[in-house]
């Protein structure tokens, strides 16, 4: 009997799960229901789209196609009948399932401000979350000179930098005394703010918004210190909230997100949840790498390859995707504990580095600016390997002793186990094996391994490995 799997959500998590299940074959029918009318797209590339560096076709994800997959876009699921194992849609359809997967993602938070409390947002006030949001921002930006971004977190800064790259006058308003407080410490954030200022983005910190006045001529943002800022466009980047309404209405266990166990099962064993909407071990993901890892595990469980597979989250590395800014942050920068702490600051060059080390392992790191050791630091953190005796080589990106810590100058010296693509967990060895199996171009390598299809930060590294493989006859891999 054909197994019926219904996936609610055609975002990055839902589309990846459908692709994983399709690749595994088997006697099953997969139905994907996406509320957005578009093809699946890479949400984390939207800031690059804002900057005008790519076009809409470049953010589209490769969709599954073929027998066994029924993809329906522009369809909203309105209810779940768990007893009858059926979902209801806004077009009146009733779709039965043997297993249901919620990949409903999250929605942008609209702050409770005067002027934003109506049923619809003013034309010149736009959240930064979806492709439609991006289209609306660009439509207004094309005839704008000044832009305000409310929220100085990761996405807010990516939006601000993208719009500044279009020549707009951009200002960021953030209620916390320093930027990206979840990933940075105050000294690092101060260096980042100075770097942003040099790129055309000013910041207003430790001040809250109290109200918005918007009409067809412009928008005014009132602040808690009595000031008001005028602009042509206000972009909201005030965080996201998991879409749990469908799950809660169906009686599933919900806290901040839909509660799932190590096999991504909800309180109903016939229903799973992955991605932004899922809460595993008290934690929400909100990033692409964990969502894709969850999709991979759930595909193993549902596809029968490993019914006992377990999701084990890996340490997260955050990269800021913004032209002219190199930032990698990992671990808890504000955490206290035993061990060493090393810092280096050069505000004039936009450089900041901070390392926290315990038992010869990195527990947290911030690297801002041009630091050749960033690849090595990420590998050490990701794999939990011992740090070199000379810590300065990691902090400053150059060696002061006998054991250099810089990344390999050539892929030939890179260990086979080194992770090249963090988003998809693709190692250098996997790329070499792909080459040996017949992939001879960057595009072929990307298509086979998915390296470079997440945040895009590893694309140059993949290109370098392909060029190296092209230049040698016999591939020798450092072990």
């Amino acid at each position: 009997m054909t197994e019926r799997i219904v996936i609610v959500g055609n975002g990055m998590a839902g589309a990846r799960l459908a692709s994983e299940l399709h690749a595994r074959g088997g006697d099953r029918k997969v139905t994907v229901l996406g509320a957005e009318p578009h093809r699946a797209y890479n949400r984390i590339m939207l800031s690059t789209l804002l900057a005008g560096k790519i076009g809409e076709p470049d953010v589209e994800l490769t969709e599954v196609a073929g027998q066994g997959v029924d993809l329906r876009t522009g369809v909203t699921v309105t209810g779940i009948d768990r007893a009858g194992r059926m979902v209801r849609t806004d077009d009146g359809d009733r779709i039965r399932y043997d297993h249901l997967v919620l990949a409903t993602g999250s929605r942008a938070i609209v702050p409770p401000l005067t002027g934003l409390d109506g049923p619809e947002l003013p034309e010149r006030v736009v959240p930064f979350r979806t492709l439609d949001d991006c289209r609306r921002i660009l439509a207004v930006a094309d005839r704008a000179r000044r832009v305000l971004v409310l929220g100085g977190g990761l996405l807010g800064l990516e939006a601000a930098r993208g719009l500044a790259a279009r020549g707009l006058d951009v200002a960021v308003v953030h209620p916390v005394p320093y930027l990206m407080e979840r990933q940075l410490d105050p000294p690092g954030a101060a260096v980042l703010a100075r770097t942003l200022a040099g790129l055309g983005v000013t910041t207003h910190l430790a001040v809250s918004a109290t109200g918005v006045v918007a009409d067809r001529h412009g928008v005014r943002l009132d602040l808690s210190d009595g000031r008001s800022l005028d602009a042509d466009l206000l972009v909201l980047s005030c965080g996201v909230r998991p879409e749990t309404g469908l799950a809660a209405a169906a009686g599933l266990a919900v806290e901040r997100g839909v509660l799932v166990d190590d096999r991504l099962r909800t309180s109903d064993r016939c229903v799973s949840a992955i991605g932004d909407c899922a809460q595993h071990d008290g934690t929400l993901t909100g990033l692409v790498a964990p969502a894709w890892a969850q999709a991979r595990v759930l595909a193993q469980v549902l596809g029968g390859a490993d019914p006992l597979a377990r999701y084990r989250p890996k340490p997260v590395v955050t990269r800021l995707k913004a032209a002219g800014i190199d930032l990698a942050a990992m671990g808890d920068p504000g955490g206290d504990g035993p061990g060493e702490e090393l810092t280096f600051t050069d505000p004039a060059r936009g450089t900041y580095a901070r390392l926290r080390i315990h038992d010869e392992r990195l527990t947290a790191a911030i690297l801002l600016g041009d630091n050749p050791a960033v690849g090595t630091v990420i590998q050490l953190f990701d794999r939990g390997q011992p740090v070199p005796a000379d810590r300065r080589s990691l902090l400053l990106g150059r060696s002061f002793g006998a054991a250099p810590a810089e990344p390999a100058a050539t892929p030939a010296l890179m260990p086979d186990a080194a992770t090249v693509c963090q988003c998809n967990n693709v190692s250098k060895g996997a790329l070499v094996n792909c080459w040996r199996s017949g992939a001879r171009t960057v595009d072929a390598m990307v298509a086979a391994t998915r390296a470079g299809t997440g945040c895009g930060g590893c694309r140059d590294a993949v290109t370098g490995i392909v060029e190296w493989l092209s230049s040698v006859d016999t591939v020798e891999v450092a072990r």
Side-chain angles (χ1 to χ4, degrees):
M1 181 177 178
T2 301
E3 182 184 23
R4 298 164 298 186
I5 298 176
V6 174
I7 302 172
V8 181
N10 190 37
M12 297 185 74
R16 173 57 63 92
L17 175 61
S19 179
E20 294 273 0
L21 289 170
H22 182 256
R24 284 168 168 76
D27 187 14
R28 70 179 64 86
K29 178 183 178 181
V30 178
T31 301
V32 184
L33 305 173
E36 293 186 76
H38 326 290
R39 298 177 58 178
Y41 58 91
N42 188 335
R43 195 182 305 277
I44 59 178
M45 295 298 289
L46 292 182
S47 58
T48 310
L49 180 62
L50 275 187
K53 304 297 183 183
I54 58 175
E56 283 195 15
D58 299 309
V59 304
E60 292 179 351
L61 295 173
T62 301
E63 295 176 329
V64 293
Q67 184 177 3
V69 178
D70 179 15
L71 172 61
R72 306 184 194 180
T73 58
V75 175
T76 299
V77 175
T78 58
I80 302 171
D81 177 2
R82 290 168 51 200
R85 294 191 185 178
M86 179 178 63
V87 298
R88 300 184 296 274
T89 66
D90 59 349
D91 59 4
D93 202 0
R94 302 289 188 270
I95 304 172
R96 296 191 178 275
Y97 67 83
D98 297 303
H99 198 93
L100 176 66
V101 181
L102 300 178
T104 49
S106 56
R107 65 184 184 277
I109 295 175
V110 176
L113 299 176
T114 303
L116 301 183
D117 46 7
E120 293 185 0
L121 291 176
E123 177 188 358
R124 293 178 179 271
V125 179
V126 188
F128 179 48
R129 180 62 182 167
T130 68
L131 180 58
D132 278 340
D133 292 337
C134 199
R135 288 171 172 172
R136 290 181 58 200
I137 291 171
L138 290 175
V140 179
D142 282 344
R143 58 182 188 273
R145 291 188 303 108
R146 294 172 297 173
V147 178
L148 292 172
V149 177
L150 184 57
L154 181 67
L155 290 181
L157 296 186
E158 289 185 350
R161 178 63 187 114
L163 291 168
R166 290 180 171 267
L168 299 174
D169 180 6
V170 182
V172 174
V173 176
H174 194 49
V176 181
Y178 61 99
L179 300 170
M180 289 182 63
E181 68 277 4
R182 292 186 178 181
Q183 294 88 15
L184 300 182
D185 56 11
V191 175
L192 176 59
R194 179 169 176 162
T195 300
L196 285 167
L199 296 171
V201 178
T202 59
T203 53
H204 303 271
L205 304 175
V207 61
S208 301
T210 58
V212 175
V213 178
D215 57 28
R216 62 188 183 88
H217 300 292
V219 59
R220 186 187 80 214
L221 184 67
D222 297 329
L223 305 180
S224 57
D225 61 5
R227 291 181 297 150
S228 293
L229 301 176
D230 296 314
D232 303 302
L233 168 67
L234 172 62
V235 176
L236 303 178
S237 184
C238 305
V240 297
R241 182 172 290 120
E243 287 281 14
T244 60
L246 197 62
L252 298 173
V254 172
E255 291 180 358
R256 291 179 300 155
V258 184
L259 298 183
V260 296
D261 61 15
D262 289 351
R263 293 170 64 188
L264 289 315
R265 299 175 301 188
T266 68
S267 52
D268 183 334
R269 299 304 172 120
C270 294
V271 182
S272 298
I274 59 173
D276 287 5
C277 71
Q279 180 178 333
H280 173 265
D281 196 24
T283 301
L284 299 169
T285 62
L287 296 172
V288 62
W292 282 351
Q294 290 176 356
R296 185 165 53 250
V297 169
L298 187 55
Q300 290 176 310
V301 173
L302 298 181
D306 185 359
L308 300 180
R310 297 288 189 270
Y311 169 65
R312 294 288 185 264
K314 294 181 61 178
V316 174
V317 178
T318 301
R319 304 295 295 266
L320 177 61
K321 279 189 60 59
I325 302 175
D326 295 315
L327 172 63
M330 56 213 82
D332 180 8
D336 296 322
E340 310 169 49
E341 185 165 309
L342 300 89
T343 60
F344 172 78
T345 309
D346 185 352
R349 296 180 178 272
T351 301
Y352 177 78
R354 178 182 176 187
L355 307 176
R356 298 187 67 231
I357 300 170
H358 180 57
D359 287 340
E360 298 300 305
R361 265 70 175 176
L362 277 170
T363 59
I366 299 170
L367 296 176
L368 174 61
D370 185 17
N371 188 324
V374 63
T376 297
V377 170
I378 291 175
Q379 289 293 330
L380 291 173
F381 177 79
D382 187 54
R383 301 178 66 83
Q385 295 176 331
V387 298
D390 188 350
R391 309 323 199 206
R392 293 174 300 175
S393 58
L394 298 178
L395 197 65
L396 304 177
R398 56 192 179 92
S399 177
F400 293 84
E406 293 92 326
T410 169
L413 302 179
M414 183 186 296
D416 197 21
T419 303
V420 177
C421 177
Q422 294 285 330
C423 295
N424 288 288
N425 194 30
V426 180
S427 67
K428 179 234 183 168
L431 293 172
V432 171
N433 289 335
C434 182
W435 172 273
R436 289 171 171 165
S437 298
R440 290 293 185 268
T441 66
V442 173
D443 288 343
M445 197 79 79
V446 168
T449 66
R450 295 187 174 129
T453 61
C455 70
C458 66
R459 185 82 181 196
D460 288 345
V462 175
T463 300
I465 289 174
V466 171
E467 291 174 350
W468 163 65
L469 291 169
S470 301
S471 66
V472 295
D473 293 326
T474 303
V475 177
E476 295 292 342
V477 181
R479 300 284 180 177

